[in-house]
């Protein structure tokens, strides 16, 4: 793994954020995640990453809820809420980043996906409640290589699924990287309910109104670069 001096670590980290988090803006096929590293490849055949963040720390992923999503919840009689350390501020759900890592490989080489790692949000999430039924979606993990978000699901306190695909991430409207002090900010990736999550919610709440790829909102990922 390539090491960086203290003088260059912030720049390298910001560069990784551009490459790693912007991977959420492309489809899995465009990023090459559909072509998994061959199981028969030897350790010697695995290239070294161009850059690496071995440990992500703070700050959060925020999702500005789409008006259509809010309307859909109301029509279904679902009341949203926060879980754990998540907060709801001015229409945006905030989930603190608690860990993870990102490796960035040369995209000109054949190794795929060229962005690998995870962005973890343990101990937070949001809930949907209707009558006596409460579904909690928590412990989100973003996979920048596949542009997908996974998480745990519980129904009335009982686990229903662990690290199941909950949301797909698309970034056709992704804005250029912004810096705010030592924080790097990427905003504009849209968040859509996955087919798996739609099926689970429809089954739990006895409806067919939760559509696959329903737009949830627009994500804003803020990461501390040092």
């Amino acid at each position: 793994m390539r090491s960086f001096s203290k003088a260059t670590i912030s720049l390298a980290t910001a560069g990784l954020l551009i490459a790693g988090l912007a991977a959420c803006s492309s489809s899995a096929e465009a990023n090459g995640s559909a072509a998994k590293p061959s199981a028969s490849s030897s350790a010697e055949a695995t290239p070294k990453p161009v850059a690496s963040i071995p440990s992500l720390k703070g700050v959060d992923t925020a999702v500005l809820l789409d008006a259509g999503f809010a309307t859909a919840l109301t029509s279904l009689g679902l009341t949203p809420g926060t879980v754990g350390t998540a907060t709801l501020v001015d229409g945006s759900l905030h989930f603190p980043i608690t860990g993870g890592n990102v490796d960035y490989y040369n995209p000109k080489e054949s190794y795929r996906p060229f962005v690998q790692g995870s962005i973890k949000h343990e101990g937070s999430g949001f809930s949907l409640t209707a009558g006596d039924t409460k579904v909690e979606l928590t412990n989100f993990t973003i996979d920048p290589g596949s542009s997908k978000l996974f998480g745990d699901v519980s129904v009335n306190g009982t686990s229903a699924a662990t690290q199941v695909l909950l949301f797909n991430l698309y970034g056709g409207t992704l804005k250029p990287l912004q810096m705010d002090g030592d924080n790097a900010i990427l905003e504009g990736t849209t968040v859509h309910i996955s087919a798996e999550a739609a099926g689970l919610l429809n089954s739990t709440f006895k409806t067919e109104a939760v559509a696959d790829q329903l737009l949830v909102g627009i994500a804003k990922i803020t990461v501390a670069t040092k």
Side-chain angles (χ1 to χ4, degrees):
M1 181 176 294
R2 180 171 297 185
S3 61
F4 298 92
S5 68
K6 291 183 179 180
T8 61
I9 188 65
S10 294
L11 180 59
T13 302
L16 271 172
L17 289 170
I18 296 173
L21 300 182
C24 294
S25 72
S26 7
S27 66
E29 182 177 346
N31 186 34
S33 60
K36 298 294 184 183
S38 172
S40 63
S41 298
S42 66
E44 290 76 18
T46 302
K48 291 183 178 180
V50 174
S52 179
I53 304 176
S55 180
L56 290 172
K57 297 179 181 178
V59 255
D60 68 16
T61 296
V63 179
L64 178 62
L65 298 177
D66 182 72
F69 178 68
T71 299
L73 294 183
T74 300
S75 68
L76 293 171
L78 299 179
T79 301
T82 58
V83 177
T85 56
T87 57
L88 177 61
V89 180
D90 297 329
S92 291
L93 286 166
H94 292 255
F95 309 105
I97 293 174
T98 58
N101 66 284
V102 178
D103 287 331
Y104 175 67
Y105 298 87
N106 187 346
K108 295 181 179 180
E109 301 296 332
S110 60
Y111 194 67
R112 293 293 184 271
F114 62 82
V115 180
Q116 299 185 27
S118 65
I119 304 172
K120 297 183 180 296
H121 309 75
E122 296 180 356
S124 67
F126 71 95
S127 63
L128 297 172
T129 304
D132 296 330
T133 302
K134 183 177 184 178
V135 173
E136 293 185 343
L137 310 177
T138 59
N139 302 323
F140 300 141
T141 301
I142 295 175
D143 181 346
S146 65
S147 301
K148 298 182 184 299
L149 187 152
F150 301 85
D152 299 338
V153 182
S154 67
V155 180
N156 293 334
T158 299
S159 176
T162 301
Q163 291 302 296
V164 66
L165 174 60
L166 295 177
F167 304 105
N168 293 307
L169 310 174
Y170 304 104
T173 57
L174 187 70
K175 299 177 182 178
L177 179 79
Q178 302 176 58
M179 294 299 297
D180 182 9
D182 293 327
N183 295 333
I185 302 171
L186 278 171
E187 183 176 7
T189 297
T190 56
V191 181
H192 302 256
I193 289 181
S194 70
E196 292 87 340
L200 189 150
L201 292 173
N202 283 330
S203 175
T204 300
F205 292 112
K206 296 177 171 50
T207 181
E208 296 181 356
V210 181
D212 178 20
Q213 302 308 314
L214 174 67
L215 174 63
V216 175
I218 299 176
K220 179 180 180 180
I221 304 176
T222 304
V223 182
T225 60
K226 65 178 180 179

